[in-house]
Amino acid sequence: MSDRAALLKGIRAWLVLFVVCLVLSGATAFPLVHELRWTEDLLRHLPTPDPLMDWIVRVRQGLDTADTDYPFLLYGTDWLAFAHLVIAVAFYGAYRDPVRNIWVVEFGMIACAGIIPLALICGPIRGIPFWWSVIDMSFGVFGVIPLYVVRGKIKRLEALTPGNARAVPAT
């Protein structure tokens, strides 16, 4: 297998992993009420720290109330899920032609970085415990890792592409 083919295969594998995680993350935003009930039931059978259990119970109670009395509020999480799915579709361009569509990967990296200030600013405003904001921020930290790897591989692929005036070694 040529270097070019191996790089392309690696890029696509990392992108598939990232897209699968993005789709799963989005899809789990649809059934929040049921997920929180299942999570609470599961945690009651496991040794769970009190702050975590208290938080899960509080969130579940809030979702139950919203679902019963104000179901239209949960429409916001439906849009959150939809946004994850739409963003995942954008990565098809990078899968198909990574060099031309490297911007999609860089956009994803910027989005991952944006999770951190969002959690640090909006978390306290919404009364989210700091330790939960750290969990939220981890999505950006762990999400940027495969994208960083993919970007480096795309830069190497770009350098191997014949007739590419922009070909530079990856940094």
Side-chain angles (χ1 to χ4, degrees), residues 32-149:
L32 281 179
V33 174
H34 301 292
E35 286 175 342
L36 258 295
R37 288 179 189 151
W38 298 331
T39 301
E40 183 181 355
D41 288 343
L42 175 67
L43 292 179
R44 288 201 186 282
H45 295 91
L46 299 172
T48 305
D50 288 341
L52 174 59
M53 195 67 215
D54 293 345
W55 177 248
I56 294 297
V57 169
R58 181 170 183 208
V59 172
R60 196 259 316 137
Q61 289 171 340
L63 282 172
D64 281 347
T65 300
D67 189 40
T68 302
D69 299 339
Y70 312 102
F72 55 87
L73 290 175
L74 298 178
Y75 189 53
T77 61
D78 296 337
W79 278 102
L80 170 71
F82 178 70
H84 278 76
L85 302 177
V86 169
I87 293 167
V89 170
F91 281 89
Y92 176 69
Y95 182 91
R96 199 183 79 227
D97 187 345
V99 173
R100 182 188 303 174
N101 294 303
I102 192 172
W103 69 270
V104 176
V105 173
E106 293 169 341
F107 163 79
M109 293 172 75
I110 293 166
C112 286
I115 291 170
I116 294 170
L118 177 85
L120 291 174
I121 294 167
C122 295
I125 291 171
R126 301 292 186 201
I128 307 298
F130 179 73
W131 57 267
W132 193 264
S133 292
V134 171
I135 293 170
D136 289 340
M137 289 184 282
S138 73
F139 282 91
V141 172
F142 291 117
V144 80
I145 292 169
L147 295 178
Y148 181 79
V149 170

